[in-house]
Amino acid sequence: MKTVQIAIDGPAGAGKSTIARLVAQRFNYTYIDTGAMYRAITLKAMQSKIDLHDENAFDFIDQTRFDFNNGILYMDDNDVSDLIRTRAVSNHVSLVSSYFTVRHKLVERQRQMADQQNVVMDGRDIGYHVLPHAAYKFYLTADVLTRAKRRFSENQLRGIHSSLEELVEEIKSRDAFDSTREHSPLRPANDAIIIDTSAMTIETVVLTIETKVREGEYYGV
Ligand code: CDP
């Protein structure tokens, strides 16, 4: 079966997950949050007390189950939504996701999911690496302060304490690390539509993406 794939990439806090979730609802597609998968693996590694600096210690991924239901990631049948958003996980996820073996294993799972159903998939490398043939590719960005403020409000809702200054620093350092790493660094695909969301509401961004996809459907993309 040929599935429809909508790829959404961008840096931390650009609004990817909120937007991707809403776009998925509009089209009744499955939302796959690949960042949540990297976070979940980081969480599992920390809980198992494995050495995060040992790239060869991640074979446990092969025995790990991932399911997305209504945009929520279940790892080994457990809802890990809250546990994967803690500062400890945020501070280590870039390291873990820089490993080739980790990426290779997770990208394989992501491609399998996108082969089986229509998806909206968000991440850092979806448009140019995970799903290079996706019919629709978007790259969301926004200035650092806007992104930190959004993350601040999100964290407040989740009951996670963090100051705006800390979030600016976290976002800057994750951006720098993610963009300069050797394997699949953060970057837009050559054929992605770039959207600067700094001065846009969520609804306007969703509508921009929805309109492009409906145009594509109309012209038989
Ligand atoms: O939500 P936020 O923008 O904070 O990040 P995320 O999407 O949850 O991703 C967390 C981290 O996972 C990123 O900073 C990247 O280091 C890594 N990641 C990645 O390497 N490749 C992806 N496709 C998705 C996330």
Side-chain angles (χ1 to χ4, degrees), residues 145-216:
L145 190 57
T146 306
R147 293 192 277 130
K149 283 182 181 163
R150 288 178 184 162
R151 190 47 53 95
F152 183 76
S153 316
E154 256 174 42
N155 281 359
Q156 271 190 326
L157 284 177
R158 288 178 187 273
I160 298 172
H161 175 76
S162 43
S163 72
L164 191 59
E165 291 72 30
E166 274 166 357
L167 288 172
V168 168
E169 287 318 309
E170 181 209 307
I171 283 182
K172 276 190 189 163
S173 80
R174 253 188 323 127
D175 278 0
F177 199 96
D178 291 347
S179 318
T180 54
R181 70 180 175 215
E182 184 186 358
H183 307 294
S184 305
L186 163 69
R187 69 169 171 83
N190 293 333
D191 50 352
I193 295 173
I194 298 181
I195 306 176
D196 185 334
T197 70
S198 307
M200 291 170 84
T201 61
I202 291 170
E203 182 51 31
T204 318
V205 182
V206 172
L207 204 61
T208 307
I209 295 180
E210 188 183 351
T211 307
K212 290 281 172 205
V213 176
R214 299 236 183 258
E215 266 172 28

Side-chain angles (χ1 to χ4, degrees), residues 9-14 16-17 33-36 38-39 85 90 93-95 97-98 103 110 122-126 130 151 154 170 174-175 177-178 181 184:
D9 288 303
K16 295 181 306 284
S17 52
D33 177 354
T34 64
Y38 288 98
R39 284 173 177 274
R85 303 280 158 202
S90 296
V93 62
S94 282
L95 173 68
S97 58
S98 69
R103 303 202 69 80
Q110 292 157 11
D122 81 352
R124 302 290 190 285
D125 55 342
I126 311 304
V130 182
R151 190 47 53 95
E154 256 174 42
E170 181 209 307
R174 253 188 323 127
D175 278 0
F177 199 96
D178 291 347
R181 70 180 175 215
S184 305

Side-chain angles (χ1 to χ4, degrees), residues 15-208:
K16 295 181 306 284
S17 52
T18 309
I19 308 276
R21 188 184 304 277
L22 289 168
V23 171
Q25 279 170 8
R26 299 273 157 109
F27 290 94
N28 201 17
Y29 292 177
T30 302
Y31 167 44
I32 312 276
D33 177 354
T34 64
M37 295 171 74
Y38 288 98
R39 284 173 177 274
I41 284 307
T42 306
L43 172 72
K44 196 167 177 180
M46 289 166 71
Q47 285 174 336
S48 325
K49 300 206 176 354
I50 73 157
D51 178 4
L52 296 184
H53 291 89
D54 180 3
E55 174 163 6
N56 298 314
F58 288 83
D59 279 350
F60 69 86
I61 296 176
D62 295 334
Q63 285 82 49
T64 302
R65 226 188 116 85
F66 299 100
D67 297 289
F68 282 95
N69 199 340
N70 278 329
I72 293 173
L73 172 62
Y74 294 82
M75 177 168 63
D76 300 326
D77 294 325
N78 297 312
D79 175 355
V80 288
S81 322
D82 287 335
L83 288 175
I84 61 174
R85 303 280 158 202
T86 59
R87 200 174 331 145
V89 171
S90 296
N91 286 340
H92 292 103
V93 62
S94 282
L95 173 68
V96 170
S97 58
S98 69
Y99 297 142
F100 178 79
T101 44
V102 170
R103 303 202 69 80
H104 183 74
K105 288 177 192 297
L106 290 187
V107 166
E108 200 173 18
R109 301 289 189 92
Q110 292 157 11
R111 288 182 178 149
Q112 278 166 6
M113 292 190 236
D115 274 348
Q116 289 160 358
Q117 61 212 315
N118 298 332
V119 295
V120 179
M121 188 177 282
D122 81 352
R124 302 290 190 285
D125 55 342
I126 311 304
Y128 76 89
H129 179 59
V130 182
L131 306 176
H133 304 297
Y136 307 98
K137 299 180 186 178
F138 301 91
Y139 186 87
L140 303 186
T141 177
D143 59 70
V144 173
L145 190 57
T146 306
R147 293 192 277 130
K149 283 182 181 163
R150 288 178 184 162
R151 190 47 53 95
F152 183 76
S153 316
E154 256 174 42
N155 281 359
Q156 271 190 326
L157 284 177
R158 288 178 187 273
I160 298 172
H161 175 76
S162 43
S163 72
L164 191 59
E165 291 72 30
E166 274 166 357
L167 288 172
V168 168
E169 287 318 309
E170 181 209 307
I171 283 182
K172 276 190 189 163
S173 80
R174 253 188 323 127
D175 278 0
F177 199 96
D178 291 347
S179 318
T180 54
R181 70 180 175 215
E182 184 186 358
H183 307 294
S184 305
L186 163 69
R187 69 169 171 83
N190 293 333
D191 50 352
I193 295 173
I194 298 181
I195 306 176
D196 185 334
T197 70
S198 307
M200 291 170 84
T201 61
I202 291 170
E203 182 51 31
T204 318
V205 182
V206 172
L207 204 61
T208 307

